Amino acid sequence: MAIKRPKVAIGFIVAGVLMVLFGTIMCFVVPLVIDDQIVKHTVIDPKNDLTYTMWKDIPVPFFMSVYFFNVLNPAEILKGEKPMVEQRGPYVYRKQCQKENITFHPNGTVSYREYRQYHFEPSMSAGNESDVVTIPNMLVLGASVMMENLPYVLRLMMSATFKTFKEGPFLTKPVGELMWGYDSGLVDFLNQYLPGMIPTSGKFGLFSEFNNSNTGLFTVFTGKDDIRKVHRVDSWNGLTELPYWRTAQSNMINGTAGQMWPPFMTKQSTLPFYSPDACRSMELVYQRPGEMNGIPLYRYVAPKTLFANGTDYAPNEGFCPCRQSGLLNVSSCRHNSPVFISHPHFFNADPVLLDYVQGLNPSEEKHGLFIDIHPQTGVPLNVSIRLQLNLYMKKVSGITMVLCGLKCCKCFIYPLQNGYIDGPIVNTFRTNLVVLPTVLEYLQYILIGLGLATIIIAAVVYRKVKVKLPHRIQASMLSCLTARCILGFFFFPTPMKEKE
């Protein structure tokens, strides 16, 4: 039995070596297998049932929360006083997106149009669409600035037209009508006698073009040939560069369509995307790591230079004519209407803008733009796109209805678009990309640790057995010799020599 113990110890040593070897192999193989699966399921391919369905019909709930700046002193503003506003809202709308007209191309790209619908969510809102607010009349004030360089006679005629249709510099309407449109005799008149001056031919509303519309024809890379290019925009409406801005750099269409990004992101990665609503490409930068529902993430935020003017940040010179830093002039892609985009409450903007309006309190927590990304897959976990629409107001000679002498931008609304992964999707995501890799990681270390412990214990046992074995053999031989001597003495006495 003692002789078999060394063989058993050797068997355990071999088993321990195999466990260490298998655990070590897992350390190298498991990450490669996981990365390979991520690549396989990230590619835009109808064969990937789950991921392709998620890409085609986005299951993540997106919401547009709209805040209005209700003007408290419209009469005083016309006399030159500073505007006083109060924030009203949010008025929350569920955004439903669906890609249609999906066409795959031989060059590794796919084209589609994404249609969007908005549905009011009373339970998530701080009011109803019937709430009445007062905001600057974008139709009147915008048209006035647009006609600034037209002949004086035409401006007088337009001023008379405003009076005829009882349109003033401020508008008091229910939220629902301001959002999705209201009947206007002025709109019908302008479309009949000045066709093309305004972008709508029916009801006029701030978001009338958004509902039941699409964001244009996107062509993006599928990632089949190069996973680093997946979701990257190849063209938009057939364009590889934009026609709106003054420099080639500003007109570039960079990054993705803003829904997903290539996998395997690092802290040095940026988050570029093209936004048709902002008429330009934007790029977010890494801020910090974080966690959501047990899923690791990287937070990317808008740099302070995003809406800086060309004087403060030279690369933005192409987006001019500029005003103060923090305002993006989008009139070139908004039918020359004097509309500017900024962060809400003029966050990260020139402080002088806060002096133009009373009632603004910018903060990064409430008004900063950010996207939380799962870096390994490039899937956004939490998105908060916060932008503010501002109207440039000024006194225009001949337009007697517009008496405001302040040459500044007045904020009147800001929509906040946010979305986050929730429900069964987040559970599937966490299981496949967090729990399973963690279990495999622990398993490989357990195998290595258990293997090393088995080797050490078996080696100690083997050595003890080998040390004790010779002593036992010698003692056994001595006992046998002693027994033979004793037996021989009694039963086989040694014969005595005879005397000679």
Side-chain angles (χ1 to χ4, degrees):
M1 187 70 179
I3 299 177
K4 291 183 179 180
R5 288 181 181 178
K7 293 183 180 180
V8 174
I10 292 174
F12 274 103
I13 292 174
V14 172
V17 170
L18 290 176
M19 282 191 286
V20 171
L21 181 62
F22 188 64
T24 304
I25 292 174
M26 286 184 65
C27 289
F28 295 97
V29 173
V30 169
L32 294 177
V33 172
I34 293 175
D35 289 351
D36 180 70
Q37 289 299 307
I38 289 175
V39 169
K40 178 181 177 182
H41 292 287
T42 301
V43 173
I44 303 174
D45 189 343
K47 296 178 181 178
N48 297 332
D49 294 334
L50 176 62
T51 53
Y52 179 75
T53 302
M54 289 179 61
W55 172 80
K56 180 177 178 291
D57 303 316
I58 301 175
V60 176
F62 274 90
F63 300 93
M64 181 174 69
S65 302
V66 181
Y67 297 82
F68 284 86
F69 289 108
N70 183 44
V71 179
L72 301 177
N73 59 338
E76 289 75 11
I77 294 174
L78 296 179
K79 297 176 183 178
E81 293 187 15
K82 184 184 297 187
M84 295 177 59
V85 299
E86 64 172 356
Q87 181 175 291
R88 300 279 295 275
Y91 301 94
V92 181
Y93 297 84
R94 177 182 290 270
K95 180 181 179 182
Q96 292 182 338
C97 299
Q98 183 176 4
K99 294 179 176 66
E100 296 183 6
N101 303 327
I102 299 174
T103 305
F104 287 86
H105 305 291
N107 65 343
T109 61
V110 58
S111 299
Y112 64 88
R113 291 184 183 273
E114 184 172 274
Y115 290 83
R116 53 192 177 181
Q117 290 183 333
Y118 295 91
H119 304 277
F120 185 61
E121 293 285 345
S123 62
M124 302 176 66
S125 303
N128 296 313
E129 286 189 305
S130 59
D131 293 351
V132 176
V133 297
T134 298
I135 64 172
N137 191 335
M138 183 177 177
L139 187 58
V140 170
L141 298 176
S144 300
V145 175
M146 292 166 65
M147 295 186 67
E148 181 180 15
N149 296 321
L150 293 180
Y152 185 75
V153 176
L154 288 178
R155 280 178 270 152
L156 287 175
M157 292 175 60
M158 182 57 68
S159 180
T161 302
F162 290 156
K163 291 180 180 180
T164 300
F165 290 100
K166 298 181 180 180
E167 294 279 359
F170 292 95
L171 189 65
T172 301
K173 293 278 187 183
V175 168
E177 292 186 16
L178 292 174
M179 285 289 296
W180 310 116
Y182 56 90
D183 294 318
S184 171
L186 178 60
V187 171
D188 297 335
F189 176 84
L190 293 176
N191 282 323
Q192 182 177 356
Y193 294 100
L194 294 172
M197 183 177 180
I198 57 177
T200 181
S201 58
K203 293 184 176 183
F204 181 81
L206 299 174
F207 290 87
S208 58
E209 293 183 351
F210 281 59
N211 208 9
N212 299 312
S213 65
N214 66 81
T215 54
L217 180 64
F218 273 95
T219 301
V220 302
F221 288 96
T222 63
K224 186 176 182 180
D225 299 326
D226 186 353
I227 196 62
R228 294 171 298 179
K229 297 171 67 176
V230 66
H231 302 298
R232 187 181 300 174
V233 178
D234 181 45
S235 67
W236 175 73
N237 283 339
L239 302 173
T240 55
E241 61 179 24
L242 302 172
Y244 307 130
W245 311 110
R246 298 170 55 187
T247 63
Q249 180 179 353
S250 299
N251 280 319
M252 293 176 65
I253 299 177
N254 297 325
T256 72
Q259 294 177 343
M260 291 184 179
W261 282 264
F264 313 125
M265 304 183 71
T266 67
K267 295 179 180 179
Q268 288 71 41
S269 302
T270 58
L271 220 61
F273 63 97
Y274 171 65
S275 171
D277 297 329
C279 310
R280 59 166 287 188
S281 298
M282 295 190 282
E283 188 172 47
L284 307 188
V285 296
Y286 172 83
Q287 184 191 52
R288 61 173 176 82
E291 187 176 286
M292 176 182 172
N293 295 322
I295 304 172
L297 58 84
Y298 285 170
R299 170 158 291 189
Y300 289 83
V301 299
K304 291 184 178 181
T305 57
L306 182 63
F307 296 140
N309 61 26
T311 302
D312 293 342
Y313 186 62
N316 283 353
E317 180 66 31
F319 297 115
C320 291
C322 301
R323 299 197 63 79
Q324 294 87 350
S325 276
L327 296 171
L328 173 66
N329 185 349
V330 294
S331 59
S332 59
C333 67
R334 288 289 177 260
H335 308 279
N336 292 320
S337 180
V339 176
F340 287 71
I341 290 177
S342 70
H343 293 298
H345 287 242
F346 295 131
F347 172 69
N348 269 349
D350 191 326
V352 73
L353 292 172
L354 297 177
D355 295 333
Y356 291 153
V357 183
Q358 292 184 24
L360 302 183
N361 298 287
S363 70
E364 181 176 6
E365 181 182 356
K366 294 181 179 180
H367 308 125
L369 182 158
F370 70 85
I371 297 179
D372 292 337
I373 292 283
H374 181 248
Q376 201 171 9
T377 61
V379 174
L381 304 176
N382 189 18
V383 178
S384 185
I385 305 297
R386 300 161 174 170
L387 297 175
Q388 177 175 294
L389 302 181
N390 309 279
L391 187 65
Y392 178 58
M393 299 168 59
K394 64 179 294 187
K395 184 177 181 179
V396 179
S397 175
I399 309 290
T400 56
M401 290 290 266
V402 185
L403 302 177
C404 176
L406 293 175
K407 294 185 178 182
C408 60
C409 280
K410 297 298 185 293
C411 50
F412 62 95
I413 183 176
Y414 76 86
L416 184 160
Q417 300 211 37
N418 63 309
Y420 52 89
I421 287 184
D422 198 7
I425 296 175
V426 73
N427 294 330
T428 302
F429 199 87
R430 182 171 55 243
T431 300
N432 292 338
L433 294 171
V434 178
V435 176
L436 184 58
T438 302
V439 170
L440 292 175
E441 182 180 3
Y442 279 118
L443 179 60
Q444 63 195 25
Y445 293 131
I446 289 173
L447 286 174
I448 293 174
L450 187 60
L452 290 174
T454 302
I455 292 172
I456 293 172
I457 295 173
V460 171
V461 171
Y462 178 81
R463 181 171 179 177
K464 287 183 177 180
V465 170
K466 294 293 289 184
V467 169
K468 293 180 178 179
L469 187 58
H471 295 288
R472 291 179 178 176
I473 293 174
Q474 291 176 8
S476 177
M477 292 176 64
L478 182 60
S479 299
C480 291
L481 290 173
T482 303
R484 289 182 65 183
C485 290
I486 294 173
L487 292 172
F489 179 79
F490 285 103
F491 297 100
F492 306 100
T494 302
M496 297 181 64
K497 294 184 179 179
E498 294 179 359
K499 293 183 180 179
E500 296 181 354

